[in-house]
Amino acid sequence: MTYEEFADSRLTALLRYAVMLTGDPHLAQDLVQETMVRVQLNWRRVTRADAPERYVRRMLTNQYLDWQRGSWVRRVLLRAEPDEAVVVRVDHAETTVERDQVWTWLARLPRRQRAALVLRYYEDLPDAEIAEVLGCAVGTVRSAISRALATLRAEFVEA
């Protein structure tokens, strides 16, 4: 597989993942662009990896965790797609307020905890793959997710 083929096939998924990490589509595009430049420069190393996509996702995650560029708009929404079979009248203003509140709570989490939650609940990865992406032990992943969920529960109770 060439770099161009990889970029064509995986760029959209990487961008979705980056949006969930950053909470901002524009920052996500910057993050993906910077990561893909590094991928292209290290393409031989990427292709030698057992799972190139996982290797690139780890590069993107590390780039996000290390990025020291200005202030971040830290907002993320983690929720399932609505069931199309159920028709419910919803107050859109209230939904927007709730969504913004969730983004605010998630923005307060440390980056590693936030990345672990995104990888678990948005990317649907098992603990072992999350540990590989974050470069830590499986127990550390479980601990980070547990602490993040405890923090979110406490925020929810206070609200």
Side-chain angles (χ1 to χ4, degrees):
M1 173 182 290
T2 67
Y3 170 79
E4 290 78 14
E5 292 170 341
F6 178 83
D8 285 342
S9 66
R10 299 308 309 153
L11 198 59
T12 304
L14 290 170
L15 186 57
R16 277 195 314 263
Y17 173 57
V19 168
M20 293 306 295
L21 286 176
T22 63
D24 182 309
H26 302 291
L27 292 174
Q29 288 173 350
D30 290 345
L31 180 62
V32 169
Q33 180 178 3
E34 197 165 318
T35 301
M36 291 306 287
V37 166
R38 291 176 184 212
V39 168
Q40 186 176 27
L41 293 173
N42 297 299
W43 183 243
R44 284 188 198 159
R45 187 179 320 151
V46 172
T47 56
R48 284 192 302 252
D50 293 335
E53 181 181 347
R54 204 174 318 151
Y55 189 89
V56 172
R57 189 181 298 144
R58 181 173 183 178
M59 288 176 73
L60 191 139
T61 303
N62 288 340
Q63 185 69 24
Y64 165 72
L65 292 173
D66 295 337
W67 215 4
Q68 299 296 320
R69 188 179 143 182
S71 65
W72 284 78
V73 180
R74 297 179 183 195
R75 297 183 183 184
V76 170
L77 173 64
L78 301 174
R79 68 170 204 195
E81 293 297 319
D83 186 4
E84 294 177 10
V86 178
V87 177
V88 178
R89 300 279 181 203
V90 179
D91 179 7
H92 294 291
E94 184 176 321
T95 303
T96 302
V97 168
E98 290 174 359
R99 182 185 63 222
D100 287 347
Q101 184 62 52
V102 170
W103 284 55
T104 301
W105 291 336
L106 289 170
R108 293 182 191 151
L109 293 175
R111 286 179 181 226
R112 189 169 287 276
Q113 288 180 9
R114 183 175 175 175
L117 283 180
V118 169
L119 289 166
R120 163 68 61 77
Y121 295 107
Y122 185 75
E123 293 288 320
D124 200 29
L125 294 181
D127 291 341
E129 286 186 36
I130 296 170
E132 187 175 323
V133 169
L134 294 178
C136 62
V138 173
T140 304
V141 168
R142 291 181 183 149
S143 175
I145 291 172
S146 176
R147 287 182 179 142
L149 291 175
T151 300
L152 292 177
R153 281 187 206 104
E155 293 284 341
F156 181 73
V157 169
E158 288 177 10

